[in-house]
Amino acid sequence: MSAIAPMMAHDGDDVDFSLVPSLTHTQTNAMHELLRIAPVIDDLGRLFRDAGHELYLVGGSVRDALLGSLGHDLDFTTSASPDQTHDLLRRFTPSTWDIGRDFGTIGALKRAEDQEWQIEITTFRADIYRSESRKPEVAFGDTIDGDLVRRDFTVNAMAVDVTTRTFVDPYGGLGDLADGILRTPSTPEHSFSDDPLRMMRAARFASRLGFQVAPEVVRAMTEMAERIQIVSAERIQAELSGLLLTDSPRVGLDLLVSTGIADLILPELPALQLELDEHARHKDVYQHTLTVLDQAIELEKARGHAPDLVNRLAALLHDIGKPATRRFEGPKVTFHHHDIVGAKLATKRLKALNFPTQVVKSVAKLIELHLRFHGYSEGAWTDSAVRRYVRDAGDELERLHMLTRADCTTRNRQRATRLRRAYEELEWRIDELASQEELAALRPHLDGTEIMAVLGIGPGRVVGEAYAFLLEHRTEHGPVAHDEAVELLRRWWADRGER
């Protein structure tokens, strides 16, 4: 077995393994993390060893341990068959599942020393991909080296023998981790032919880890971009979502665009690279979009939100209606109604990628509303206009705040300050009205049941019309007392009868 060195002695004492002399800090990270998970891996390793099987901590778990960021999800690979693994795990913990058995994976949940660990153990793999296939033909292997060479990148193709604490690195992942480079264990052409989704994974890891993608990998991505089309929409959607939820998705998105992969999975993004006319000037829409995404992520953090896929998709797609609506009017370029067109294009694309329905609806609403604020920045709004803004945003109000603020990328400091102050004023007015009128729960003065009781009618279309009338009155004039609302409804009903 190649590139192996002892990582830590069984009694926990550090052992020097100088594969790369400059990696002392990385070694320390790894040993610290392995000691932290010792309550799990010691017992698990003993169980598999006594049964005559090999067991390795592998892939992302080893990479993250070397980086000092190992979480509570632990990935292992083993010489044991799925059935043997399942039997052993049931002796280790009562919480097991075999939903991935057909792919050789058995899962378990283990509680140890007041911590909870999610464990997945997969039999050595030697999968085969056909040129026209979207899924691998599952085949099990018999060596750790054979398993590791099938993995996506060298930094994910390292393992630690749980029993002996021996470090296994046959493809130079440790050096690449130190150098911050993404390379494939086999040739990138062979790797991407096996599983084309790895090309998108390169973009995700470049963003997540801040690594450079090796030139030969970029070249293979460019030459083999069309092979991404055999991958299912579900897998592409999951990988794109993972990329967008990193701290710096811009790097990965740029890579997908420059290699031509985005042309095939998200063509609306590279289409934003509009040719700039030297006379009819407008900002670079593509670069503007990536800056808006950066700023939306910063606002998420500043406003105390977790990474939000809807917010990031809306930032990424908010201007995709511009290529279809670009018009030259003398020295000026216009994009009239690009918000409406963009919402429709986003809906179509996100549905094609099988994003959840609510995600699609939320992103489309934000794109459709993202220009609404500019009416406020150009002139005073009445209270009714502010209420309507809140009503139309609905549950997406906070996201609309972030998208609208992020959409300001002007280099004109005076204009940027004016827009920022205008939006701060709008948010202040929303808060003021909310405290006075329960604006966040903007509803008509009467609900459907009360409307039917006042008018003496049953359920039907008229109830909806009455509801819409009262909601519009509430938006335009603010709240009124119950008795006044009843009188308003009766007058509306009488007027309707006269017509």
Side-chain angles (χ1 to χ4, degrees):
M1 198 177 297
S2 55
I4 303 176
M7 198 166 194
M8 186 165 61
H10 291 288
D11 60 4
D13 293 332
D14 293 358
V15 175
D16 180 26
F17 78 118
S18 52
L19 285 176
V20 181
S22 62
L23 293 180
T24 303
H25 181 65
T26 304
Q27 295 170 30
T28 302
N29 283 339
M31 288 184 286
H32 173 78
E33 295 294 337
L34 289 177
L35 283 171
R36 186 171 65 87
I37 65 174
V40 175
I41 62 174
D42 284 349
D43 291 344
L44 199 57
R46 191 177 303 112
L47 192 63
F48 276 72
R49 181 196 62 203
D50 292 347
H53 302 299
E54 299 172 52
L55 182 69
Y56 297 85
L57 188 71
V58 73
S61 292
V62 175
R63 180 200 68 226
D64 290 345
L66 291 165
L67 293 173
S69 58
L70 181 60
H72 284 74
D73 294 347
L74 304 178
D75 293 326
F76 298 86
T77 188
T78 181
S79 59
S81 71
D83 288 342
Q84 291 168 330
T85 298
H86 198 199
D87 289 342
L88 290 169
L89 275 178
R90 283 190 296 186
R91 291 160 54 186
F92 181 65
T93 174
S95 302
T96 65
W97 57 89
D98 62 354
I99 192 171
R101 183 189 291 268
D102 290 345
F103 298 95
T105 301
I106 307 296
L109 197 66
K110 176 69 173 180
R111 292 177 176 84
E113 296 189 356
D114 298 324
Q115 297 190 73
E116 189 172 83
W117 308 89
Q118 183 166 309
I119 296 165
E120 287 193 349
I121 303 180
T122 302
T123 301
F124 292 157
R125 294 277 289 269
D127 297 343
I128 300 171
Y129 289 77
R130 304 299 181 189
S131 61
E132 74 285 353
S133 174
R134 291 186 173 196
K135 295 181 179 179
E137 294 180 14
V138 177
F140 299 131
D142 52 14
T143 68
I144 183 62
D145 280 19
D147 178 271
L148 295 179
V149 76
R150 308 297 299 182
R151 295 179 180 263
D152 49 11
F153 302 104
T154 59
V155 295
N156 297 329
M158 299 178 284
V160 175
D161 187 319
V162 171
T163 300
T164 65
R165 301 293 170 85
T166 300
F167 182 71
V168 185
D169 182 25
Y171 306 106
L174 192 60
D176 288 342
L177 191 71
D179 294 336
I181 293 176
L182 285 175
R183 291 190 305 110
T184 53
S186 59
T187 66
E189 291 80 8
H190 185 268
S191 181
F192 298 155
S193 179
D194 270 359
D195 186 356
L197 192 67
R198 290 171 177 167
M199 295 187 288
M200 288 189 66
R201 208 169 290 149
R204 174 164 62 88
F205 280 121
S207 283
R208 179 184 168 188
L209 301 175
F211 284 9
Q212 292 291 318
V213 182
E216 68 273 15
V217 174
V218 175
R219 183 168 56 251
M221 290 173 67
T222 305
E223 294 173 352
M224 301 178 67
E226 289 190 1
R227 184 151 168 77
I228 197 69
Q229 294 176 99
I230 74 164
V231 180
S232 67
E234 290 81 6
R235 294 183 74 207
I236 288 175
Q237 181 254 104
E239 200 60 49
L240 179 60
S241 297
L243 167 59
L244 287 174
L245 290 172
T246 64
D247 282 343
S248 303
R250 182 182 195 132
V251 174
L253 292 168
D254 253 339
L255 180 62
L256 293 179
V257 170
S258 65
T259 56
I261 294 172
D263 288 319
L264 302 165
I265 62 168
L266 192 64
E268 294 80 5
L269 182 60
L272 295 175
Q273 296 176 306
L274 301 175
E275 182 178 352
L276 301 181
D277 186 279
E278 63 178 329
H279 303 295
R281 296 184 180 276
H282 62 83
K283 66 179 66 177
D284 184 325
V285 182
Y286 174 70
Q287 292 300 329
H288 162 75
T289 293
L290 296 183
T291 300
V292 172
L293 178 58
D294 288 341
Q295 294 182 168
I297 292 171
E298 291 173 6
L299 283 166
E300 271 180 7
K301 297 174 181 177
R303 295 171 80 108
H305 300 295
D308 181 359
L309 182 61
V310 168
N311 176 49
R312 297 179 185 204
L313 280 168
L316 183 67
L317 303 178
H318 78 284
D319 273 349
I320 61 172
K322 280 190 171 180
T325 59
R326 182 168 70 156
R327 300 290 183 271
F328 294 95
E329 299 178 359
K332 186 178 179 183
V333 179
T334 64
F335 303 96
H336 296 312
H337 307 301
H338 77 268
D339 46 345
I340 307 300
V341 173
K344 293 178 180 178
L345 291 173
T347 297
K348 183 178 180 180
R349 177 57 53 196
L350 296 180
K351 283 184 175 180
L353 290 172
N354 286 339
F355 277 91
T357 299
Q358 190 52 56
V359 169
V360 177
K361 289 181 177 179
S362 295
V363 171
K365 176 185 277 191
L366 289 165
I367 294 172
E368 187 173 339
L369 295 176
H370 83 274
L371 294 180
R372 186 76 64 87
F373 160 71
H374 291 285
Y376 185 88
S377 67
E378 293 165 3
W381 276 7
T382 61
D383 284 351
S384 64
V386 175
R387 292 190 197 98
R388 188 168 284 105
Y389 185 81
V390 173
R391 184 194 70 187
D392 291 348
D395 293 339
E396 305 303 330
L397 181 61
E398 172 65 3
R399 286 171 171 152
L400 185 57
H401 287 333
M402 290 191 289
L403 177 59
T404 304
R405 285 179 175 273
D407 195 25
C408 177
T409 62
T410 178
R411 295 180 180 179
N412 184 317
R413 186 173 299 179
Q414 186 175 4
R415 173 173 165 75
T417 299
R418 180 172 61 81
L419 289 172
R420 176 179 55 79
R421 287 177 176 171
Y423 207 86
E424 286 173 353
E425 179 186 332
L426 175 58
E427 286 202 61
W428 176 82
R429 287 186 64 189
I430 290 171
D431 290 342
E432 283 293 297
L433 283 173
S435 65
Q436 297 168 16
E437 306 177 8
E438 298 182 359
L439 198 58
L442 191 60
R443 291 185 291 271
H445 312 299
L446 306 174
D447 62 25
T449 300
E450 292 172 307
I451 289 171
M452 289 187 287
V454 170
L455 300 182
I457 61 175
R461 177 174 55 83
V462 173
V463 177
E465 293 175 1
Y467 188 96
F469 161 73
L470 290 174
L471 179 58
E472 180 62 24
H473 189 279
R474 167 78 168 81
T475 301
E476 192 68 29
H477 303 287
V480 298
H482 181 272
D483 290 347
E484 186 178 345
V486 169
E487 183 59 31
L488 281 169
L489 179 60
R490 286 174 174 160
R491 286 203 301 269
W492 174 83
W493 181 248
D495 291 343
R496 178 188 176 85
E498 290 174 1
R499 292 198 299 273

